[in-house]
Amino acid sequence: MKMMDKKKIIEDGILEQYILGELHPSDERYIEQLLASDPELKQHFDTLEADFETLGLENAVVPPPMVKNELLSRATALKSEGVKQPTASKASRFKFYFAVAASFSALFLATSIWLYSQLNKLESDVKMVETEKQDLKKELNQLSESYDTTAKLYATLSHPDTKQYVLEGNTLMPQGKVISFVNHDLKSVVINTERLPELDEAHNYQMWADVEGEMIDMGVIDTSQSLVAMNYIDASESLNITIEPRGGSEHPTVERLVTNVYL
């Protein structure tokens, strides 16, 4: 490095290059000699060096506890190896800044890993919340349907114009009995299934309405419920129950008629 005056050294950023270790070794020695002989330049250098340290601290990221502990552990290891900030040697000063840079790199990497894990956890939580939301929506729909069904049953049973009919079992079902509630104004039919004998898994009961000699399906009877709403058929002359293959039939199995009643 050619001889330079103090002003040019400051204006050309030579001191900054010295701090960052970017000067040739011979130039470094020249700057160190100037710093040792020029108190004013040394004071400017000390201020500049302090500004570098302040900048690093101001841009530091507060890590989560696990990252902070890891960084402190690394700092302790560096200290035990003799990596610390001296006040005279340029080589040791550069080692110090390198250690600081390495620490910030480690902090950035650890923070990135922590943020990535938190993002994955957040995505998992969002999926869990969405699943719970769907389950809750399904449950609410089921409750709503159950409430509507119960309301219709109660409306039929409590209506003053509802008529009650008893379907006594025949020889195929001598102990069986079904109570039916029919309301032509509400167009509803409700039956009590408590006295229907249990069938095997391959069969179920099915109800039919006789309209001018034609049997019209009123639905398969759900014997797991004591009160069941059946399909209302206009102009029904009678109610009939047969035993059918599980799932129901399109036409009644007449020879397996177990009970009926005329309206």
Side-chain angles (χ1 to χ4, degrees):
M1 177 181 290
K2 296 180 180 181
M3 298 291 293
M4 291 187 188
D5 59 23
K6 179 168 54 180
K7 181 178 179 182
K8 186 169 182 59
I9 289 176
I10 294 174
E11 291 178 350
D12 289 354
I14 303 300
L15 293 179
E16 287 87 343
Q17 295 178 46
Y18 172 73
I19 292 175
L20 297 175
E22 297 177 354
L23 295 179
H24 188 275
S26 61
D27 295 334
E28 287 184 359
R29 289 192 292 273
Y30 174 69
I31 294 299
E32 288 172 356
Q33 291 173 2
L34 288 178
L35 292 175
S37 62
D38 190 328
E40 185 177 353
L41 185 63
K42 178 63 167 63
Q43 183 178 359
H44 180 79
F45 169 78
D46 291 341
T47 301
L48 187 62
E49 187 178 39
D51 289 342
F52 265 75
E53 293 179 4
T54 301
L55 181 62
L57 292 174
E58 288 179 349
N59 289 277
V61 178
V62 178
M66 67 174 188
V67 178
K68 182 179 179 181
N69 293 337
E70 176 65 18
L71 184 56
L72 290 176
S73 176
R74 289 173 181 270
T76 301
L78 289 172
K79 184 176 180 180
S80 65
E81 294 172 5
V83 180
K84 57 184 180 178
Q85 181 184 11
T87 56
S89 169
K90 175 63 185 72
S92 59
R93 181 181 292 109
F94 176 72
K95 184 181 290 187
F96 168 75
Y97 284 114
F98 179 79
V100 171
S103 298
F104 274 107
S105 297
L107 172 61
F108 177 76
L109 177 60
T111 303
S112 298
I113 294 173
W114 180 80
L115 288 174
Y116 180 75
S117 67
Q118 291 301 302
L119 178 60
N120 285 340
K121 183 177 183 300
L122 180 60
E123 290 178 347
S124 177
D125 291 343
V126 169
K127 290 180 180 179
M128 189 186 331
V129 170
E130 185 62 28
T131 300
E132 292 176 352
K133 178 182 175 182
Q134 293 299 325
D135 292 342
L136 180 59
K137 183 178 180 180
K138 185 184 299 184
E139 185 177 346
L140 288 175
N141 288 337
Q142 292 174 347
L143 289 174
S144 178
E145 292 175 1
S146 177
Y147 174 79
D148 291 342
T149 300
T150 302
K152 291 178 180 178
L153 293 176
Y154 178 77
T156 299
L157 297 177
S158 61
H159 198 281
D161 292 330
T162 294
K163 296 181 180 180
Q164 178 177 312
Y165 299 91
V166 179
L167 289 80
E168 298 283 356
N170 59 17
T171 55
L172 294 178
M173 191 181 68
Q175 302 300 320
K177 178 186 292 187
V178 175
I179 309 297
S180 63
F181 304 88
V182 180
N183 189 299
H184 298 292
D185 294 330
L186 298 177
K187 295 186 180 299
S188 64
V189 176
V190 176
I191 63 173
N192 184 308
T193 67
E194 292 180 353
R195 295 286 297 276
L196 276 176
E198 186 175 350
L199 297 175
D200 58 55
E201 293 184 357
H203 297 86
N204 47 222
Y205 294 104
Q206 190 167 350
M207 197 168 197
W208 310 85
D210 182 1
V211 180
E212 297 181 354
E214 181 183 359
M215 290 293 189
I216 301 177
D217 180 24
M218 296 178 66
V220 173
I221 299 174
D222 181 6
T223 54
S224 66
Q225 305 292 326
S226 58
L227 290 175
V228 181
M230 307 303 295
N231 296 325
Y232 176 86
I233 306 297
D234 285 320
S236 298
E237 298 171 9
S238 67
L239 302 177
N240 308 268
I241 296 177
T242 61
I243 296 176
E244 304 292 340
R246 179 157 294 277
S249 303
E250 292 184 3
H251 304 286
T253 305
V254 178
E255 61 271 20
R256 304 205 69 177
L257 177 71
V258 295
T259 183
N260 72 312
V261 66
Y262 289 95
L263 303 180

